[in-house]
Amino acid sequence: MYQTIEELRTENTRLKQELADVLSKNTAPPVPSDASLQRISFLEAMMETIPIGIVLAEAPSGKITMGNSRAEEMVKHPIYTSDDVDSYGEWISFHEDGRQVESHEYPLAKVVGEGHDYSELDVHYQRGDGTRFWMRIICQPVFAADGTMRGATVAMVDVDHERHLVAQQDVLIAELNHRVKNAFTVVKSIVSQSLRGTNTSDGARDTIDSRLDAYAKAHSQLIGNRWDRAFIGKIAEDTIARIAGGRIKMTGPDIEVPSRIAMSLSMAFYELATNAVKHGSLSETGGTVELTWDYVAPDQSTIRLGWTELNGPVPVSPTRRGFGSKIINQILAAETYGTVAIDYPATGFTWSLEMPMTKEEQE
């Protein structure tokens, strides 16, 4: 029991001090464990080992806090510790059209400033020594356990060599395209010279020329996009438009097919269109054609194409099968591993093709 007021006051002061000491110990930053320190060391070593540049920034300001040595090697200047998302303009780079990249266009600004989950941009970066190279910048946010954004990581990838390879490939493909076009011209000349002086009709010569032109057009379509595949709709449009104008309605999703199928389809579309102009629905003023394509099964394992002629003369099954019939039937079925069906109802000629989407088409 306290004997005097003074003793009570002294004890109260002591208790307050003890409480303050306890609170101070409880609120002091925890000392990292050996495991945490080891993990930090591994992460730092990883940043210096990976062959891409890494830059870290904090949120919500967007201030850049650090970067690895690979980043400095790539840009040939120290890491700029930009203060916020409006300060990234000191990282000088340019778009493909030559326009300088503005601060808000950088992926880090998109992630930290606008809240994007991912952002990527290819830039022509100006190094510290004045030279430029193509760099891909990739940024993603870093979240705390409670879901709040703590910062963001930026990966800087040197894609300069990749860009140069693509440019060289474009030059080579353009040269290949030029040579193949010349080859088609030579073939047409040889055919024309060979038929001169024979009893071959002018119509037959025109048919041969047109078939070669259709084949060349399909080849150009492949070259203009990717050499290994082309879209069915684009093949049809390029082959049919100059023959039938706007009288053929084409409907279908974006489906790509390999080059061997693309070439066969172009020839088939050409034969179908020219036959419609000569003998089918397009030989009359009000006649039209519907060309459709789509996946048959939900798993996209099969494609079906359909050609339906409307408002034309009543079709008649031919008594003789020519080269055109072989193209739209036997040759096409063999190339696509599909099944061709042809019918001659009173409403108009119909043609359909069902072909499997093999692994080659799906890749």
Side-chain angles (χ1 to χ4, degrees), residues 272-329:
L272 289 166
T274 54
N275 186 70
V277 170
K278 293 178 182 178
H279 313 292
S281 62
L282 299 184
S283 64
E284 296 188 356
T285 305
T288 59
V289 173
E290 292 182 356
L291 172 61
T292 61
W293 62 91
D294 204 345
Y295 295 108
V296 176
D299 61 358
Q300 301 184 351
S301 60
T302 308
I303 301 173
R304 185 182 189 280
L305 295 92
W307 176 282
T308 304
E309 299 187 14
L310 303 168
N311 304 318
V314 177
V316 178
S317 178
T319 57
R320 186 180 67 86
R321 304 289 179 179
F323 180 68
S325 295
K326 289 183 178 179
I327 289 177
I328 65 173
N329 193 343

Side-chain angles (χ1 to χ4, degrees), residues 52-53 74 96 106-107 118-125 133-139 154-160 162-163 166:
I52 61 174
M74 290 170 60
E96 289 194 64
Y106 280 104
Y118 178 90
S119 184
E120 178 178 320
L121 180 67
D122 280 12
V123 300
H124 205 198
Y125 192 83
F133 77 111
W134 282 102
M135 177 171 67
R136 181 166 298 143
I137 305 173
I138 303 169
C139 183
V154 178
M156 303 157 63
V157 186
D158 187 339
V159 293
D160 203 53
E162 173 187 322
R163 286 273 183 157
V166 170

Side-chain angles (χ1 to χ4, degrees), residues 12-13 36 41 51 87 110-111 145 148 174 189 209-210 268 313 321 324 329 339 346:
N12 186 41
T13 300
S36 296
S41 297
S87 306
K110 297 290 184 182
V111 170
T148 59
S189 177
D209 281 347
S210 296
R321 304 289 179 179
N329 193 343
T339 303

Side-chain angles (χ1 to χ4, degrees), residues 41-333:
S41 297
F42 274 125
L43 289 174
E44 290 177 345
M46 185 188 302
M47 283 186 61
E48 293 302 319
T49 303
I50 57 178
I52 61 174
I54 296 292
V55 169
L56 306 180
E58 60 185 25
S61 68
K63 178 179 175 58
I64 294 175
T65 58
M66 66 174 296
N68 66 353
S69 58
R70 175 56 181 155
E72 293 189 345
E73 291 172 6
M74 290 170 60
V75 298
K76 298 187 185 304
H77 62 67
I79 300 298
Y80 296 139
T81 55
S82 307
D83 290 333
D84 51 45
V85 294
D86 297 320
S87 306
Y88 302 147
E90 59 186 339
W91 299 77
I92 302 175
S93 60
F94 302 87
H95 293 286
E96 289 194 64
D97 60 5
R99 181 175 56 86
Q100 185 168 341
V101 179
E102 298 183 25
S103 184
H104 69 274
E105 295 178 298
Y106 280 104
L108 185 53
K110 297 290 184 182
V111 170
V112 177
E114 300 179 20
H116 293 201
D117 291 332
Y118 178 90
S119 184
E120 178 178 320
L121 180 67
D122 280 12
V123 300
H124 205 198
Y125 192 83
Q126 183 166 303
R127 298 185 179 99
D129 61 3
T131 61
R132 294 183 185 181
F133 77 111
W134 282 102
M135 177 171 67
R136 181 166 298 143
I137 305 173
I138 303 169
C139 183
Q140 286 186 285
V142 175
F143 295 102
D146 60 0
T148 59
M149 186 188 299
R150 297 293 299 274
T153 58
V154 178
M156 303 157 63
V157 186
D158 187 339
V159 293
D160 203 53
H161 184 59
E162 173 187 322
R163 286 273 183 157
H164 286 304
L165 287 178
V166 170
Q168 291 175 0
Q169 184 182 45
D170 289 342
V171 171
L172 291 174
I173 289 177
E175 177 62 21
L176 175 63
N177 191 26
H178 176 70
R179 293 189 181 189
V180 172
K181 284 182 178 179
N182 287 344
F184 277 118
T185 302
V186 171
V187 169
K188 289 178 63 175
S189 177
I190 292 173
V191 171
S192 178
Q193 292 291 334
S194 300
L195 295 177
R196 185 172 298 173
T198 67
N199 294 326
T200 307
S201 66
D202 290 340
R205 294 178 187 178
D206 291 341
T207 298
I208 293 173
D209 281 347
S210 296
R211 282 171 173 162
L212 287 172
D213 286 341
Y215 200 74
K217 187 70 175 177
H219 175 271
S220 295
Q221 170 60 23
L222 288 167
I223 289 292
N225 292 278
R226 291 160 50 191
W227 173 249
D228 60 337
R229 55 210 307 113
F231 287 103
I232 292 177
K234 187 61 176 173
I235 298 167
E237 181 182 343
D238 287 347
T239 306
I240 294 171
R242 63 186 181 86
I243 300 175
R247 298 175 65 188
I248 297 182
K249 180 182 178 181
M250 295 180 284
T251 307
D254 288 337
I255 300 177
E256 284 186 308
V257 293
S259 57
R260 62 178 178 82
I261 293 179
M263 302 298 279
S264 298
L265 285 179
S266 69
M267 295 300 295
F269 291 152
Y270 169 79
E271 295 297 334
L272 289 166
T274 54
N275 186 70
V277 170
K278 293 178 182 178
H279 313 292
S281 62
L282 299 184
S283 64
E284 296 188 356
T285 305
T288 59
V289 173
E290 292 182 356
L291 172 61
T292 61
W293 62 91
D294 204 345
Y295 295 108
V296 176
D299 61 358
Q300 301 184 351
S301 60
T302 308
I303 301 173
R304 185 182 189 280
L305 295 92
W307 176 282
T308 304
E309 299 187 14
L310 303 168
N311 304 318
V314 177
V316 178
S317 178
T319 57
R320 186 180 67 86
R321 304 289 179 179
F323 180 68
S325 295
K326 289 183 178 179
I327 289 177
I328 65 173
N329 193 343
Q330 301 172 12
I331 296 176
L332 189 60

